[in-house]
Amino acid sequence: MPASTTTAPVVLTARALLLDMDGTIVNSDAVVERCWRDWAVSHGLDPQEALKVVHGRQGYATMAVLLPDRPMEVNHAENAVMLARETADTDGVVPVAGAREFMAALSGLPHALVTSADAALATARMTAAALPMPQVRITAESVGASKPDPEGFLKGAAALGVAPADCIVFEDSEAGIAAGRAAGMRVIGVGPRAATHTPTAHVPDLTPVHVTTTPDGSLRITLTPGG
């Protein structure tokens, strides 16, 4: 059943937050769609169909879905080219609404970036969006499997020393939400892509999200309609 955008305040508590990047705190859709449309056309694929699966996955995993009979080493080689192109192209990369205030509220609190981007791409996009880079980062180099595999989120929780059940994931994509759920974590879905993939709660962007601490050091996440 599709999750609806919250219409009454929702309050969740956690020990740590795990943040996806693209589509969740950084709006990089313009670059992603530009690059992947070109790739799809060059391989005789329908760009609209390609864009249905690209979000949330590492590039080689997207290619494997779209070209299932192709050797994986070819996907890895083409993904390296794609990553270089995406890293060099920051035109249109901006923060998701509310992201600056959200990231400022997390300063000094337990949180990690868990992204399918590699370190260079993550740095380029966070810099272009003028957002602070979390000290704890799980990037493409950190994992052996792409989302929807839960490895990245589990590694993020371990790096913070927090049990998976005590983490809340912020995600925008079907693959990312599935990864968070498979890790045994609650998931706050952000943006239009997230609404139909049964996150624990859903917000249109980050403006309704407010983070405070409780006396025992837990994080209180309040989702307030209308920001």
Side-chain angles (χ1 to χ4, degrees), residues 48-199:
Q48 290 304 115
E49 291 303 309
L51 292 177
K52 291 179 181 179
V53 299
V54 66
H55 295 288
R57 291 179 170 86
Q58 291 190 44
Y60 75 86
T62 294
M63 293 171 186
V65 171
L66 295 170
L67 296 172
D69 297 326
R70 196 167 74 158
M72 189 60 77
E73 58 266 25
V74 178
N75 295 336
H76 281 287
E78 282 198 6
N79 186 44
V81 175
M82 180 67 80
L83 282 170
R85 178 181 175 185
E86 290 191 82
T87 301
D89 184 355
T90 56
D91 186 25
V93 174
V94 295
V96 167
R100 288 182 178 144
E101 296 80 1
F102 175 66
M103 296 301 288
L106 294 186
S107 178
L109 301 179
H111 69 288
L113 189 72
V114 181
T115 176
S116 292
D118 65 4
L121 181 56
T123 299
R125 287 188 175 160
M126 292 291 282
T127 300
L131 294 175
M133 179 67 84
Q135 290 187 344
V136 177
R137 301 180 288 276
I138 306 298
T139 60
E141 299 94 334
S142 309
V143 298
S146 171
K147 300 171 185 175
D149 191 282
E151 181 185 3
F153 287 124
L154 292 172
K155 284 194 169 181
L160 293 169
V162 176
D166 291 329
C167 294
I168 289 178
V169 167
F170 282 75
E171 264 286 0
D172 74 300
S173 70
E174 179 181 10
I177 291 169
R181 291 169 64 88
M185 301 173 182
R186 291 159 292 162
V187 181
I188 294 177
V190 180
R193 278 190 294 270
T196 59
H197 300 299
T198 61

Side-chain angles (χ1 to χ4, degrees), residues 3-77:
S4 59
T5 298
T6 181
T7 56
V10 173
V11 179
L12 302 170
T13 58
R15 288 289 178 181
L17 304 184
L18 303 178
L19 317 176
D20 173 56
M21 183 181 69
D22 293 304
T24 300
I25 57 176
V26 173
N27 183 347
S28 56
D29 281 4
V31 179
V32 171
E33 295 187 3
R34 195 156 52 234
C35 292
W36 281 95
R37 280 180 187 277
D38 288 351
W39 180 89
V41 169
S42 72
H43 289 81
L45 300 173
D46 180 347
Q48 290 304 115
E49 291 303 309
L51 292 177
K52 291 179 181 179
V53 299
V54 66
H55 295 288
R57 291 179 170 86
Q58 291 190 44
Y60 75 86
T62 294
M63 293 171 186
V65 171
L66 295 170
L67 296 172
D69 297 326
R70 196 167 74 158
M72 189 60 77
E73 58 266 25
V74 178
N75 295 336
H76 281 287

